[in-house]
Amino acid sequence: MKVELEADKCVASGQCVLAATDVFDQDDDGIAILLEDRPADELLDDVKEAVAVCPAAAIRLVEQ
Amino acid sequence: MADTLAGPASGTPQPLPEFPMPREARCPFDPPPALKDLQEQAPVTKVRLWDGSEPWLVTRYADQRTVLGDPRVSADTDSPGYPTKASPEGGEGKLGFIMMDDPEHARLRRMVTAPFAIKRVEALRPAVQKIVDDLIDGLLGRPGPVDLVEEFALPVPSLVICELLGVPYDDHAFFQDNTKTMVHRDATPEQRGRASREVAGYLAALIGKRLAEPRDDLLSSIAGRVTAGEIDHQQATEMALLLLIAGHETTANMIALGTLALLRNPDQLALLRENDDPKFVAGAVEELLRYLHITHLGRRRAVTGDIEIGGQVLRAGEGVIMANEIANRDPEVFPDPDRLDLTRDARRHVAFGFGVHQCLGQPLARMELQVVYGTLYKRIPTLKPACALEDVRFKNDAFIYGVHELPVSW
Ligand code: HEM
Ligand code: SF4
């Protein structure tokens, strides 16, 4: 599974960082950045949570 | 026939439900029962407001997120169809980007996102802990009873925003007095207005100083945008005021109402008092945000392009209200939703709204509440209400739900 992040949609809510600390971080302006676009299986639940809570629909998990 | 609710063409039309609906006096922590009925029976339906306008009301969790996430809704109160505020008195003026649409909303919001990044907020935690500890020392140095709202819940966010904006220590008393008056139950509209203008004038002057001599604080970074020609001094002041107002009564009401809810649920309070795990405390904050849902008069939007939702079509030029408090009690998402259960996973709540306007201050609000809930009941384990529940006055008509005062002793 591959994570896709559309940074120009991001509203800097920080929710993805809270949900999946190992996969997301924020730049100096609080905009989300991807640490890991192919996270290990054990992180997938966290990433799914991040997808669910992102208020701006900026994160997607795609079959790869 | 699309409009079945309107009744037969010849007879009198069926009256629409009035919004907002009353809460049940015996259940001050629960949303109005009528919202639950609508969620079950008519999840997207028209309601009537005090001014006779008839916006849509959306009550299910999934539908609310869909509408709030749709670019075809506007948060601009001047957009045709925007549902008017709660009451004739309730209309606060337009305040910064919370009432603007993209792309201008995004441009302005991004100017102030930096200090709310998770790591930056974490770096503030020791300062917030000190603010909370000092205030508790102050409480414990007195015999009680005290009003927790006035002596603790309001000062916490006021002092924290001072810290964040970079309000000098010597001005804290002025700042706190005026911000208290801005939201005080007994203040007249004139007094509130005067206090707001005092604070706005103060912030404008302080931004002026930071324009000349920048420091390492949020007001200086906002001033930097003025220097760069991206906004003018007036807009900079509005932005600072928005951050202050949006984070003040909200956080304060979560502290006071949350404390009352915990005192009424001693088993849950005991969990919080006895648990040191920061993860547990963080989860408890999410559950209290979900359960209490203090921004109770709905997220309001104007529809700018037809949206199909829940078997209805919201037309451009109509208003729509998402009653988030009932979404947070949607059994599809939160099993046994009316139970306060600090151990549940409540992270998907919509207490901070949803979509591009979702609360900018949420990382700060979370951290403040984690510090407060994680400290207050441990340091004052005998904390108890100093009046009967029947005597507590709830802010039923206020824009933000909470208690007017909470006398406590220990
Ligand atoms: C527990 C405390 C808080 C709650 C429940 C809360 C709730 C909300 C909600 C529901 C919205 C969305 C409004 C809408 O969609 O129409 C919002 C927006 C906002 N909040 Fe908060 N808030 C809290 C604390 C704070 C704090 C501490 C700050 C900043 C210091 C803050 C700053 C903002 C700002 C700037 C917006 C506007 C965002 C935008 O329009 O893009 N809030 N808040
Ligand atoms: S959850 Fe979405 S909006 Fe929030 S920081 Fe992450 S990507 Fe940005």
Side-chain angles (χ1 to χ4, degrees):
Chain A
M1 299 286 262
K2 185 165 181 282
V3 188
E4 289 178 356
L5 173 73
E6 285 177 82
D8 53 334
K9 279 193 182 172
C10 172
V11 296
S13 70
Q15 298 248 56
C16 54
V17 182
L18 293 178
T21 314
D22 298 323
V23 181
F24 300 96
D25 199 353
Q26 286 165 293
D27 70 10
D28 287 346
D29 287 327
I31 304 304
I33 46 181
L34 209 47
L35 297 174
E36 187 67 68
D37 69 347
R38 283 168 209 279
D41 283 352
E42 64 267 24
L43 294 176
L44 283 184
D45 279 348
D46 290 351
V47 176
K48 282 180 191 153
E49 186 63 24
V51 173
V53 291
C54 175
I59 309 167
R60 259 187 327 199
L61 195 55
V62 291
E63 209 74 51
Q64 190 75 14
Chain B
M1 275 253 317
D3 206 357
T4 46
L5 271 178
S10 53
T12 36
Q14 203 102 48
L16 294 173
E18 306 256 344
F19 184 87
M21 289 106 178
R23 290 181 191 246
E24 178 106 58
R26 286 175 302 117
C27 311
F29 303 113
D30 288 340
L35 284 179
K36 178 137 279 191
D37 296 341
L38 287 179
Q39 186 177 66
E40 281 163 15
Q41 292 151 27
V44 180
T45 191
K46 285 213 168 161
V47 288
R48 182 187 299 267
L49 303 189
W50 61 273
D51 65 347
S53 63
E54 297 179 353
W56 294 96
L57 181 73
V58 181
T59 39
R60 284 191 185 154
Y61 177 91
D63 293 343
Q64 289 192 7
R65 297 215 324 174
T66 304
V67 176
L68 286 169
D70 196 302
R72 290 166 298 180
V73 294
S74 165
D76 184 342
T77 48
D78 290 336
S79 293
Y82 187 93
T84 40
K85 282 298 169 207
S87 65
E89 307 86 50
E92 69 240 53
K94 274 191 125 169
L95 190 66
F97 57 82
I98 195 166
M99 289 167 189
M100 292 181 192
D101 297 325
D102 287 348
E104 184 64 0
H105 159 264
R107 185 181 83 92
L108 294 173
R109 176 167 167 139
R110 281 206 176 194
M111 289 183 193
V112 281
T113 45
F116 298 101
I118 303 293
K119 283 181 183 149
R120 292 276 300 272
V121 166
E122 273 311 309
L124 271 181
R125 190 183 284 266
V128 173
Q129 183 71 54
K130 178 158 188 339
I131 286 170
V132 168
D133 279 330
D134 288 352
L135 285 166
I136 295 176
D137 288 343
L139 293 181
L140 289 174
R142 298 168 44 176
V146 299
D147 175 12
L148 194 78
V149 174
E150 177 112 14
E151 304 295 336
F152 183 74
L154 282 169
V156 169
S158 179
L159 291 168
V160 171
I161 200 73
C162 282
E163 186 81 31
L164 189 83
L165 291 173
V167 171
Y169 187 80
D170 286 349
D171 299 337
H172 281 191
F174 161 87
F175 198 80
Q176 234 182 292
D177 285 348
N178 280 292
T179 52
K180 216 178 258 177
T181 307
M182 282 163 71
V183 298
H184 202 280
R185 61 186 175 276
D186 299 326
T188 62
E190 291 74 37
Q191 285 169 324
R192 288 174 197 224
R194 195 175 329 119
S196 297
R197 284 192 299 279
E198 287 275 340
V199 171
Y202 173 82
L203 289 171
L206 196 54
I207 290 171
K209 281 191 198 161
R210 299 293 183 263
L211 271 168
E213 276 179 61
R215 297 190 188 178
D216 185 19
D217 57 34
L218 180 52
L219 280 186
S220 301
S221 108
I222 294 176
R225 304 290 180 162
V226 178
T227 311
E230 295 171 26
I231 46 174
D232 61 25
H233 201 139
Q234 163 79 23
Q235 283 173 307
T237 306
E238 256 180 32
M239 214 181 255
L241 205 56
L242 169 61
L243 294 177
L244 163 73
I245 291 176
H248 189 221
E249 218 186 338
T250 44
T251 310
N253 287 3
M254 275 304 298
I255 294 172
L257 191 65
T259 298
L260 182 60
L262 289 164
L263 289 169
R264 303 282 305 169
N265 289 271
D267 54 324
Q268 299 296 307
L269 179 57
L271 289 178
L272 206 44
R273 202 187 285 132
E274 285 148 23
N275 206 317
D276 272 326
D277 179 5
K279 273 218 174 87
F280 174 78
V281 176
V285 168
E286 299 311 309
E287 170 65 350
L288 283 156
L289 284 163
R290 177 194 76 85
Y291 180 76
L292 298 173
H293 196 92
I294 54 166
T295 54
H296 65 155
L297 293 179
R299 310 271 63 73
R300 297 173 181 230
R301 298 292 189 266
V303 181
T304 60
D306 295 2
I307 300 174
E308 226 185 299
I309 188 91
Q312 305 280 9
V313 182
L314 320 186
R315 304 263 176 219
E318 292 182 324
V320 57
I321 299 176
M322 271 57 66
N324 286 164
E325 67 266 45
I326 201 68
N328 279 339
R329 303 291 184 100
D330 190 331
E332 293 275 325
V333 189
F334 306 103
D336 197 1
D338 296 327
R339 216 168 69 114
L340 176 68
D341 173 6
L342 300 186
T343 64
R344 83 160 82 217
D345 182 355
R347 287 178 297 174
R348 294 189 186 188
H349 68 73
V350 283
F352 291 120
F354 198 73
V356 295
H357 288 280
Q358 194 183 58
C359 184
L360 171 64
Q362 57 184 299
L364 182 65
R366 288 192 160 103
M367 186 268 281
E368 287 181 63
L369 294 175
Q370 288 164 11
V371 172
V372 166
Y373 297 146
T375 307
L376 182 61
Y377 319 120
K378 290 194 180 94
R379 285 205 54 200
I380 316 185
T382 54
L383 189 76
K384 55 176 187 289
C387 72
L389 182 67
E390 299 77 56
D391 296 331
V392 176
R393 289 189 300 152
F394 290 88
K395 297 182 170 182
N396 282 307
D397 305 324
F399 203 55
I400 318 273
Y401 189 60
V403 290
H404 284 290
E405 62 267 296
L406 183 60
V408 292
S409 56
W410 46 86

